[in-house]
Amino acid sequence: MTLNDIFEMVKSQPTVAFLYLFSIPVLVIFTGWISTPKSNQNPWRYVYAVLLYMVCLPGVLALVFNLYQFLFERRSILDADINIQFLPIISMIVSLYFANKKVRFTNIPGMGKLSTFLLIMFVLIGFLWVMDRTFIIAFAAIPIQFLLTGFLLGFGILLIGSKRLLK
C-alpha cells in the first residue's frame, strides 16, 4: 500500500476522515470538561497523550505533505484537497488549543518527542528545498566557508533533535 492508495481511500470515503478529524477535538473538549480539577494527574495525562497523538500525527503528515507539494511540485493551492491537506491541520490546531487550556504540554508524556519530530521534519524540508533551488553557479558565488557553516549548523540541529527524540 502506498501513500497515494491511502489518499485515494480517504478521497473515496470523505465522511470517515471528516468524522475522525472532527471527533478528536470534541473528545479533547469533553475530556477537559470531565477532568477539570485533575487534568495534570496521571490517568488524564495519558488520555490527553493518546488523543493528541491521534490528531497530531495526521496533522504533521498534512503539514509536511503541503510543504512538499507547494515547495517542490509547485502545485496551486486551488488544487488542494480539503480532507487531506487542511482538515488534519485545523483539527490538530483546535485540539492542541483546547488541550493546552486544561493541561500543560510538559505534563503530557511524549509531547517533547512530537515537537522534536516536527523540528526535524521542518529542518529536513528546508535542506531539501535549499538543495532543490541551488544551482552549481550559486556555489561558485558563495564562499565555501558559508556553505560549510550552514551545512554543519543544520547537521548539528538534526543531530541534537534526533538525540532528543531517542531519549
Side-chain angles (χ1 to χ4, degrees):
M1 178 175 266
T2 64
L3 198 55
N4 195 27
D5 293 338
I6 294 172
F7 291 154
E8 289 300 322
M9 186 172 58
V10 170
K11 286 179 186 178
S12 68
Q13 299 175 351
T15 54
V16 174
F18 179 77
L19 287 176
Y20 175 78
L21 293 170
F22 181 74
S23 66
I24 302 294
V26 170
L27 285 173
V28 168
I29 292 169
F30 182 71
T31 303
W33 180 62
I34 63 173
S35 71
T36 298
K38 300 178 181 182
S39 294
N40 286 318
Q41 292 181 355
N42 238 354
W44 297 111
R45 291 178 358 177
Y46 292 107
V47 171
Y48 278 113
V50 168
L51 289 173
L52 292 180
Y53 266 93
M54 286 174 64
V55 76
C56 284
L57 290 177
V60 169
L61 177 68
L63 273 173
V64 171
F65 182 65
N66 283 338
L67 282 174
Y68 173 77
Q69 279 199 330
F70 298 141
L71 291 178
F72 294 103
E73 290 186 0
R74 297 183 187 130
R75 286 200 178 170
S76 172
I77 197 166
L78 300 175
D79 295 332
D81 186 13
I82 302 243
N83 283 338
I84 294 175
Q85 293 180 261
F86 295 120
L87 192 60
I89 298 169
I90 293 168
S91 178
M92 179 179 69
I93 290 170
V94 169
S95 297
L96 289 173
Y97 174 76
F98 283 110
N100 192 26
K101 286 184 143 197
K102 297 295 179 181
V103 65
R104 288 182 294 174
F105 288 148
T106 56
N107 291 340
I108 298 175
M111 284 305 286
K113 293 187 186 301
L114 191 63
S115 64
T116 304
F117 174 69
L118 189 61
L119 174 72
I120 288 171
M121 293 304 292
F122 282 129
V123 168
L124 280 174
I125 289 285
F127 270 149
L128 292 174
W129 184 74
V130 167
M131 294 302 289
D132 186 49
R133 297 294 183 250
T134 304
F135 298 103
I136 301 220
I137 299 166
F139 280 112
I142 299 173
I144 192 71
Q145 295 90 355
F146 292 136
L147 289 175
L148 289 176
T149 304
F151 177 74
L152 290 176
L153 185 67
F155 188 71
I157 291 171
L158 280 174
L159 189 65
I160 291 169
S162 63
K163 283 187 179 182
R164 279 187 57 200
L165 187 64
L166 295 175
K167 281 186 180 180

